Amino acid sequence: MDEVDGELDKEVMDGGTNLLKKLEEADVGPWLVIHGHKHFASLSYGMTHGSCPPVLFSAGSLGALLYPQIKERTANQFYILTIDINQTESTGRLVGQFESYSWNNMRGWHPSQSDFLPYKGGFGSQVTPHTLVIEILKLLESTPYLDKNDLVNIQDKIDYYTPSQFKELLGKMDKKGLFVDYDGNQIKEVVNNEKSNN
């Protein structure tokens, strides 16, 4: 995780990339790899030569004194991971969701407000943000406005987006002139600015 503080990590696991490759070659199903060490929470996919990348969950710290380079970018957290066994078996990919809770002295434990691991997110979606934007634009052909009731089927897919996939979706929607009101990874409404201004 060189992006965390930009310094050479002298404690990095030697052969970590090779370990992920060997896990993939074992061909026993999708992998969830959980690690810590950096006190920096993130969720991503590992590199793969096949069709099923491992899910890499970097857990933050539960109760560390965070070092200066990262203390403004992460928080002490705990997580609840839920694996959707049925979707995992039917897609051959690890599919699930997470919840993150952060700690501070003022609020105690509370739903995370971190950009890196927000309160809710997921992993294992097979639907790209580009595809979802096309679906949303089709829904907007007959109306300039969609609320959460109109977006139920879209939200079902977003629930399995990683935080970076959700940010990508928001960026693509912005490029199409769509205003999005959201809370965490829950889209509350979408407005087509071009239609609403006409």
Side-chain angles (χ1 to χ4, degrees):
M1 298 185 69
D2 294 336
E3 75 278 10
V4 173
D5 50 29
E7 295 179 5
L8 176 64
D9 188 350
K10 298 175 184 172
E11 298 176 19
V12 68
M13 179 179 170
D14 190 28
T17 303
N18 193 43
L19 172 63
L20 291 178
K21 184 174 182 285
K22 292 298 183 187
L23 291 175
E24 181 184 6
E25 289 172 358
D27 195 24
V28 293
W31 285 91
L32 169 64
V33 178
I34 301 174
H35 71 93
H37 167 60
K38 284 284 198 172
H39 310 290
F40 195 80
S42 74
L43 178 68
S44 62
Y45 297 107
M47 290 178 52
T48 183
H49 298 291
S51 59
C52 182
V55 174
L56 304 179
F57 190 91
S58 175
S61 297
L62 184 65
L65 181 59
L66 300 171
Y67 56 97
Q69 292 94 326
I70 66 166
K71 76 177 193 177
E72 299 302 321
R73 296 189 293 148
T74 191
N76 285 311
Q77 294 183 319
F78 77 87
Y79 314 100
I80 299 171
L81 296 174
T82 306
I83 308 297
D84 186 321
I85 299 298
N86 293 332
Q87 284 208 51
T88 296
E89 287 181 359
S90 69
T91 64
R93 299 170 62 96
L94 190 69
V95 179
Q97 295 175 295
F98 68 84
E99 291 182 12
S100 300
Y101 295 87
S102 298
W103 169 269
N104 66 36
N105 288 334
M106 299 294 290
R107 298 178 62 194
W109 289 110
H110 59 278
S112 171
Q113 295 173 325
S114 167
D115 286 338
F116 294 95
L117 273 186
Y119 172 48
K120 289 191 176 186
F123 44 89
S125 176
Q126 293 184 301
V127 181
T128 66
H130 177 81
T131 301
L132 278 193
V133 170
I134 291 170
E135 289 183 32
I136 291 167
L137 288 170
K138 284 182 183 173
L139 291 173
L140 286 166
E141 286 175 357
S142 58
T143 180
Y145 168 86
L146 300 169
D147 66 20
K148 64 181 182 180
N149 296 319
D150 302 315
L151 295 163
V152 170
N153 291 334
I154 301 286
Q155 187 62 52
D156 285 345
K157 297 166 187 167
I158 292 172
D159 286 343
Y160 297 105
Y161 269 12
T162 65
S164 59
Q165 286 175 304
F166 186 67
K167 283 181 191 175
E168 182 184 346
L169 174 66
L170 294 176
K172 289 184 181 302
M173 292 173 75
D174 183 59
K175 287 179 182 175
K176 293 294 184 181
L178 304 179
F179 167 79
V180 184
D181 183 19
Y182 63 95
D183 183 18
N185 71 339
Q186 304 292 307
I187 293 184
K188 298 195 294 189
E189 66 179 20
V190 177
V191 178
N192 187 334
N193 286 330
E194 293 176 7
K195 283 192 174 182
S196 62
N197 292 331
N198 292 336

